[in-house]
C-alpha cells in the first residue's frame, strides 16, 4: 500500500449489520464505488482505506449509514448514493431530517425524509395549514404527506384523514368499467390505499375506512362539504380544474390542514391552462400560512434510473 493511503476505522457498535451492509454487501459495494475507498466490515468496526481525500469524502457518508443502521432505517445502495450527494444530513443525527422522523404506531420502522428537499417539505407541512408540493414522480410528495397525516391522527391533532384525487384520466371511459361508482374510481385511488398500507397495519386501515376516520374519495365527492378537524390531501392536483381546486380549498374548516401534491409535467386535462395547480401557484403565492415547496429529480427515491429518466424527458422537452 502506498504512503498516501490511510485507513479510517468507524465504530459500528449498536448498528444492525445486515441493514448496514445490505443484501450481498450491496451498500458497502456502493460506498466503495461512489467514493473510491476499500470498505471492510469486521465485527463492530467499519474500515475505510484509500487515498486521504477519498477517505475524507467517504467518512461522513459511512457515518450516516451507521446512524441509519442503528435506528433500523431501511438502507439501499440508492440511499447510499443520495447520502453521498446530499450534504443536508438526512438520515444523520442533525439537520432538518433529524427533527422529522415519524415512528408510526403499529409499525416497526421509522419513516423519515431521505433528502434535504424532502426534509424541508415535511417541515413546511408541520408549520403551515396549506402546503402545495410540486415535483416529478418518485419524490415522495404523496407518501410523506400521508405519513404526516397518519402521525397527526395518531397524536389526536386531527380527528380524521381525507384523501382525494381527481379521476380525470378516466374521462368518459368510467361508464364502460364494470361495477358501481366506487368500483369504477377505486383504480384511480389505489396509490393512496398503497401509501396507507405502508403506514398502518392492514386491520387498522380497514377499521379506519369503515368508521370513516379515514376517507379516500374522488375529488368530485368533496363538493358541498365542510372538512373540520381533518388532515386533507389532494393528490395528482395537476388534473384538477381551476373550479375544482377552488372548491377543494374552500372546503377547509376549523383546525384542518391541507396538502396539495402535483406534477406539472403530467397534466392530463385537454388544455394545460385549465390545471388548477398552475392557477393556484399563481394566485396563492405570498399568502401567510400557505407554503409552496418544489421537489426535483434530486429528491427521487425510487430506482436510481427514475432520476435519469426524468432528466432525459426534461431535456427532450426543453424544460432543463
Amino acid at each position: 500500500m502506498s504512503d498516501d493511503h490511510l485507513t479510517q476505522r468507524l465504530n459500528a457498535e449498536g448498528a444492525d449489520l445486515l441493514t448496514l451492509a445490505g443484501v450481498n454487501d450491496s451498500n458497502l459495494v456502493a460506498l466503495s464505488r461512489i467514493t473510491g475507498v476499500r470498505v471492510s466490515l469486521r465485527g463492530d468496526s467499519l474500515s475505510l482505506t484509500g487515498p486521504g481525500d477519498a477517505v475524507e469524502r467517504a467518512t461522513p457518508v459511512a457515518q450516516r449509514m451507521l446512524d441509519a443502521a442503528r435506528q433500523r432505517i431501511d438502507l439501499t445502495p440508492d440511499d447510499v448514493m443520495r447520502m453521498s450527494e446530499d450534504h443536508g444530513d438526512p438520515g444523520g443525527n442533525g439537520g432538518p431530517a433529524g427533527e422529522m422522523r415519524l415512528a408510526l404506531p403499529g409499525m416497526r420502522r421509522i419513516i423519515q425524509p431521505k433528502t434535504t428537499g424532502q426534509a424541508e417539505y415535511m417541515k413546511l407541512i408541520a408549520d403551515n395549514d396549506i402546503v402545495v408540493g410540486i415535483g416529478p414522480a418518485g419524490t415522495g410528495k404523496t407518501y410523506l404527506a400521508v405519513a404526516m397525516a397518519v402521525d397527526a391522527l395518531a397524536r389526536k391533532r386531527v380527528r380524521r384523514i381525507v384523501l382525494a384525487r381527481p379521476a380525470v384520466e378516466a374521462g368518459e371511459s368510467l361508464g364502460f368499467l364494470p361495477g358501481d361508482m366506487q368500483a369504477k374510481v377505486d383504480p384511480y385511488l389505489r396509490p393512496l390505499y398503497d401509501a396507507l398500507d405502508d403506514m398502518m397495519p392492514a386491520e387498522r386501515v380497514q377499521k379506519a375506512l369503515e368508521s370513516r376516520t379515514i376517507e379516500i374519495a374522488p375529488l368530485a365527492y368533496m363538493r358541498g362539504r365542510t372538512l373540520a378537524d381533518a388532515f386533507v390531501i389532494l393528490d395528482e392536483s395537476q388534473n384538477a380544474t381551476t373550479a375544482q381546486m377552488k372548491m377543494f380549498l374552500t372546503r377547509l374548516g376549523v383546525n384542518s390542514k391541507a396538502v396539495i401534491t402535483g406534477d406539472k409535467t403530467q397534466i392530463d386535462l385537454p388544455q394545460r391552462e385549465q390545471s388548477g395547480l398552475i392557477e393556484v401557484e399563481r394566485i396563492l403565492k405570498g399568502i401567510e400560512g400557505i407554503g409552496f415547496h418544489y421537489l426535483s429529480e434530486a429528491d427521487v427515491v425510487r430506482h436510481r434510473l427514475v432520476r435519469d429518466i426524468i432528466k432525459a424527458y426534461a431535456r427532450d422537452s426543453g424544460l432543463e
Side-chain angles (χ1 to χ4, degrees):
M1 188 180 297
S2 61
D3 293 339
D4 62 345
H5 276 53
L6 59 89
T7 296
Q8 172 75 43
R9 289 184 175 83
L10 301 176
N11 182 11
E13 188 176 355
D16 182 81
L17 299 185
L18 182 58
T19 298
L20 177 65
V23 179
N24 295 326
D25 291 340
S26 56
N27 295 337
L28 303 184
V29 170
L31 177 62
S32 178
R33 186 189 73 248
I34 292 164
T35 61
V37 301
R38 186 160 56 84
V39 183
S40 63
L41 178 60
R42 287 189 175 85
D44 286 336
S45 179
L46 180 68
S47 298
L48 312 173
T49 303
D53 59 341
V55 171
E56 186 177 349
R57 189 166 59 247
T59 299
V61 181
Q63 192 60 62
R64 292 165 75 181
M65 291 170 64
L66 286 164
D67 291 339
R70 286 190 178 101
Q71 297 171 62
R72 308 299 194 272
I73 294 171
D74 290 343
L75 196 61
T76 68
D78 286 347
D79 293 327
V80 176
M81 182 179 70
R82 278 188 291 274
M83 288 175 176
S84 70
E85 296 173 348
D86 196 327
H87 305 295
D89 196 36
N93 287 326
E99 302 165 10
M100 297 308 304
R101 293 192 178 101
L102 303 179
L104 301 178
M107 305 301 286
R108 296 186 63 185
R109 61 191 184 84
I110 293 172
I111 292 175
Q112 69 162 32
K114 292 191 173 185
T115 69
T116 300
Q118 287 189 346
E120 291 168 352
Y121 175 54
M122 291 179 73
K123 188 169 191 316
L124 205 64
I125 293 173
D127 294 343
N128 292 270
D129 286 338
I130 297 176
V131 169
V132 182
I134 299 173
T139 51
K141 303 182 300 293
T142 303
Y143 188 84
L144 294 175
V146 172
M148 294 290 282
V150 172
D151 183 63
L153 183 67
R155 294 175 185 272
K156 302 194 185 314
R157 291 174 180 163
V158 296
R159 286 190 302 151
R160 58 181 168 154
I161 296 171
V162 179
L163 309 173
R165 250 188 170 208
V168 161
E169 56 271 75
E172 294 178 350
S173 65
L174 270 177
F176 297 97
L177 292 171
D180 59 15
M181 182 53 71
Q182 192 64 42
K184 291 174 192 290
V185 299
D186 266 1
Y188 302 102
L189 305 174
R190 177 48 52 190
L192 297 173
Y193 286 103
D194 290 344
L196 265 183
D197 287 342
D198 221 26
M199 313 278 174
M200 299 169 67
E203 66 278 2
R204 195 172 295 176
V205 172
Q206 189 58 40
K207 186 176 178 183
L209 289 169
E210 289 171 359
S211 66
R212 299 182 74 81
T213 302
I214 297 177
E215 182 179 353
I216 303 176
L219 176 58
Y221 285 26
M222 299 296 107
R223 192 174 299 279
R225 301 177 58 185
T226 299
L227 302 172
D229 288 314
F231 197 120
V232 193
I233 298 172
L234 174 58
D235 191 33
E236 298 287 349
S237 68
Q238 75 275 3
N239 289 328
T241 64
T242 299
Q244 286 176 323
M245 181 67 79
K246 182 180 178 183
M247 177 271 291
F248 173 80
L249 287 168
T250 53
R251 297 308 92 204
L252 285 189
V254 177
N255 190 42
S256 283
K257 186 183 284 278
V259 178
I260 297 163
T261 71
D263 178 355
K264 290 189 290 184
T265 69
Q266 295 193 31
I267 296 174
D268 296 318
L269 295 167
Q271 295 180 348
R272 179 181 171 84
E273 297 73 26
Q274 293 177 335
S275 173
L277 179 61
I278 291 176
E279 278 288 283
V280 89
E281 192 180 13
R282 179 179 63 83
I283 293 171
L284 298 187
K285 268 196 172 171
I287 297 179
E288 188 175 348
I290 300 180
F292 283 80
H293 188 71
Y294 296 86
L295 294 148
S296 71
E297 70 273 358
D299 299 300
V300 170
V301 293
R302 291 181 184 166
H303 193 286
R304 62 179 179 81
L305 287 176
V306 173
R307 183 189 307 196
D308 295 335
I309 290 166
I310 290 168
K311 291 174 77 172
Y313 270 96
R315 279 196 303 272
D316 186 65
S317 61
L319 295 176
E320 191 175 67

